[in-house]
């Protein structure tokens, strides 16, 4: 859902891979760290605005 909110309309990957990514214990902390790093480097700009 967060990807969709960020403007990404579609991705291609097997459903089982997506389920594994979402349920992996490190996924949420990795996403939070990426968001923090992105905001530190680019503020609130989206990738195509950076």
């Amino acid at each position: 859902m967060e990807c969709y909110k960020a403007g990404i309309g579609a991705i291609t990957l097997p459903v089982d891979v997506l389920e594994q990514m979402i349920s992996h214990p490190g996924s949420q902390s990795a996403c939070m760290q990426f968001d923090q790093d992105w905001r530190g480097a680019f503020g609130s700009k989206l990738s195509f605005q950076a």
Side-chain angles (χ1 to χ4, degrees):
M1 185 55 83
E2 294 302 315
C3 291
Y4 182 73
K5 289 178 188 176
I8 299 170
I11 59 171
T12 304
L13 72 154
V15 173
D16 64 317
V17 173
L18 175 62
E19 290 172 343
Q20 290 175 30
M21 287 171 53
I22 292 170
S23 65
H24 189 279
S27 292
Q28 185 165 353
S29 63
C31 288
M32 290 171 55
Q33 183 64 52
F34 179 87
D35 186 57
Q36 182 180 348
D37 293 345
W38 180 274
R39 289 178 188 280
F42 304 107
S44 61
K45 292 182 181 178
L46 300 176
S47 62
F48 61 86
Q49 297 171 320

